[in-house]
Amino acid sequence: MTDTSAATPPPTPGPLGRALRAWFGIALWKRILAALVVGAVVGVLWGEGATAIGWIGELFVRLIRMLVVPLVFLTIASGVAALADPRRLGSIGIKTLGMYVFTTALAVTTGLVVATLIGPGIGASFADAVPRAVAEPQDPARLFIEIIPDNPIGAMANGATLSVIFFAILVGAGVIAAGKEAEPVRRLLASGTEVMLRIVGFVMETAPFGVFALIAVVMGTSGPASFLAVLKLAICVVVGATFVTLVVHGLIVVRLLAWLPTLPFFRGIADAIMVGFSTSSSSATLPVAIRVAERNLGVSPPVASTVLPLGATIGMDGAAMYVAMLTLFAAQAFGVDLSLADYLVIAGTTTIVAMGVAPVPSGSLFVLAAVLHAIGITPAQTAIVVGFILPFDRILDMIRTVPNVTSDLSIATAVARWEGEMDVAVYRSRDDV
């Protein structure tokens, strides 16, 4: 009897199977981009009614944020443990902090130059602005002290990222110090990291639907018409964000300092850019950033897990640029004449306080008071500026979150390249995508 089972053709997929195959056959960043465009159109047409689907976007953001703390802890602890030599951690940390200060200073300079040339505050009227007081920025000494958690589990529950990073570094260092006896812990941390990255992959498949809803709600409630009220400031943000992203991060950091072509970099991080733009949160983008850094850019887990969580907390190039712009906007609107010394004070103060910006939507406004105070703007005037900006800030926040994301990934790429912790073949493979 002849066995014909091997010759039996596989069953033909039905319409649903063919649709799913076609859907998953499209690159994820293309699906997210299409969802962003369609969501913007739907939001404009639907108007306030778009809030009815806001729960979809909220679910997506909650899924992403759910992963942040366990991913930060596991990736950093695993990355430090994998270094084996604690001196490597010091080398990576010093280069990372130095690069963040460098790119933040360039972003602030960009914001000052663009705002000086365009003059967004000249002729601005605050007649309809409702004053909104902002909380005083946290004392830097207290911020430094609270990096050390009273309770590591409590820090994880509260989402205190810096405290989680500190504890994870200690755990990784403890694994190194324990040597062979801690090998099971090392393997557990590595396995846990891989599991979390797989979960990030699952969650990212929902990104097109989440992005669609988030953009539709923003455009439906704010809309392009409201953009006109702050048109000159919006132009400043777009021009500045584009320059910082393409020139500072793409040309200076990736091309000149890391000696790598820029096109594979931007292709490789497209997913992270789309998520950052739609959520307006560097923290929410962190799981995606770690995933694309390792899988698309070839950055080793030890570097990705060290640089990116730190960057999500202190790497705020977009926020630094925006605060500098808002400072000149306020000075121009209130007729405050600024000297060269004032510009230097703004640049220095903004570079420092930007590293304390919360990685959440509109986090930049919470440190604005510190910079405006440095040039003589009163708290009452600051409240007026914030009240004027706040109704339109979400759209501007989406734009300036992009350089926050590209800052983290470009610095991770450069540090990995310098440390010999990068698979250049994986990075260059993005040329073929």
Side-chain angles (χ1 to χ4, degrees):
M1 184 172 180
T2 305
D3 183 6
T4 59
S5 60
T8 303
T12 303
L16 179 59
R18 289 195 296 271
L20 289 175
R21 183 177 296 178
W23 171 258
F24 290 111
I26 302 171
L28 180 60
W29 72 268
K30 294 180 181 179
R31 284 181 271 153
I32 296 175
L33 179 60
L36 192 151
V37 174
V38 174
V41 173
V42 169
V44 170
L45 297 178
W46 199 355
E48 294 284 345
T51 55
I53 60 172
W55 62 272
I56 301 175
E58 184 178 351
L59 279 179
F60 171 64
V61 173
R62 289 177 72 90
L63 281 171
I64 289 288
R65 286 183 173 163
M66 172 188 72
L67 302 175
V68 171
V69 169
L71 185 63
V72 166
F73 175 76
L74 287 170
T75 54
I76 289 184
S78 175
V80 172
L83 288 174
D85 182 359
R87 289 175 296 181
R88 294 289 311 284
L89 177 63
S91 174
I92 292 172
I94 291 172
K95 290 174 182 176
T96 299
L97 291 174
M99 282 299 297
Y100 276 122
V101 172
F102 173 66
T103 60
T104 300
L106 290 181
V108 170
T109 302
T110 300
L112 293 175
V113 170
V114 172
T116 299
L117 294 177
I118 296 178
I122 298 175
S125 172
F126 297 137
D128 299 324
V130 178
R132 302 284 185 90
V134 294
E136 288 294 324
Q138 191 172 14
D139 177 57
R142 173 53 51 184
L143 184 65
F144 179 76
I145 291 171
E146 292 184 353
I147 290 177
I148 302 175
D150 291 327
N151 181 347
I153 305 303
M156 293 179 185
N158 295 326
T161 308
L162 283 177
S163 297
V164 174
I165 291 172
F166 179 83
F167 182 65
I169 290 173
L170 287 183
V171 171
V175 171
I176 295 174
K180 291 183 179 180
E181 287 79 3
E183 190 59 32
V185 178
R186 191 196 310 272
R187 290 199 299 269
L188 177 63
L189 292 171
S191 299
T193 299
E194 186 59 32
V195 169
M196 289 304 302
L197 289 174
R198 295 285 181 180
I199 296 174
V200 172
F202 299 155
V203 171
M204 281 305 297
E205 291 301 332
T206 69
F209 309 101
V211 168
F212 167 81
L214 289 169
I215 298 302
V217 171
V218 169
M219 295 305 293
T221 54
S222 298
S226 65
F227 216 49
L228 297 177
V230 287
L231 181 59
K232 291 174 73 175
L233 181 60
I235 291 173
C236 286
V237 175
V238 171
V239 171
T242 302
F243 182 87
V244 171
T245 298
L246 297 181
V247 178
V248 175
H249 301 152
L251 179 60
I252 296 177
V253 177
V254 175
R255 187 73 187 96
L256 299 182
L257 298 180
W259 321 298
L260 291 166
T262 56
L263 188 57
F265 172 75
F266 287 111
R267 281 178 170 171
I269 68 171
D271 293 353
I273 288 177
M274 298 298 176
V275 172
F277 180 80
S278 58
T279 62
S280 304
S281 170
S282 302
S283 178
T285 312
L286 178 59
V288 189
I290 291 175
R291 182 170 182 261
V292 300
E294 294 183 10
R295 305 202 173 183
N296 296 349
L297 302 180
V299 176
S300 72
V303 172
S305 62
T306 304
V307 175
L308 293 173
L310 186 62
T313 306
I314 67 170
M316 297 291 167
D317 287 7
M321 176 201 74
Y322 184 61
V323 170
M325 289 178 176
L326 282 184
T327 302
L328 289 197
F329 170 83
Q332 292 164 358
F334 290 119
V336 177
D337 292 325
L338 299 176
S339 64
L340 177 59
D342 290 323
Y343 275 89
L344 293 176
V345 168
I346 293 171
T349 306
T350 305
T351 300
I352 295 170
V353 303
M355 293 188 177
V357 173
V360 297
S362 298
S364 307
L365 297 181
F366 292 97
V367 301
L368 179 62
V371 185
L372 291 181
H373 177 73
I375 60 169
I377 300 293
T378 67
Q381 291 173 317
T382 300
I384 293 174
V385 172
V386 173
F388 179 77
I389 295 296
L390 199 57
F392 325 106
D393 189 64
R394 182 57 192 267
I395 296 178
L396 300 179
D397 201 4
M398 293 163 69
I399 298 169
R400 66 180 182 265
T401 300
V402 172
N404 287 350
V405 174
T406 56
S407 167
D408 297 342
L409 287 161
S410 65
I411 290 174
T413 300
V415 172
R417 179 71 157 156
W418 297 336
E419 291 288 320
E421 293 279 351
M422 183 176 190
D423 189 334
V424 179
V426 171
Y427 180 93
R428 293 186 181 274
S429 68
R430 307 306 298 178
D431 272 328
D432 303 326
V433 176

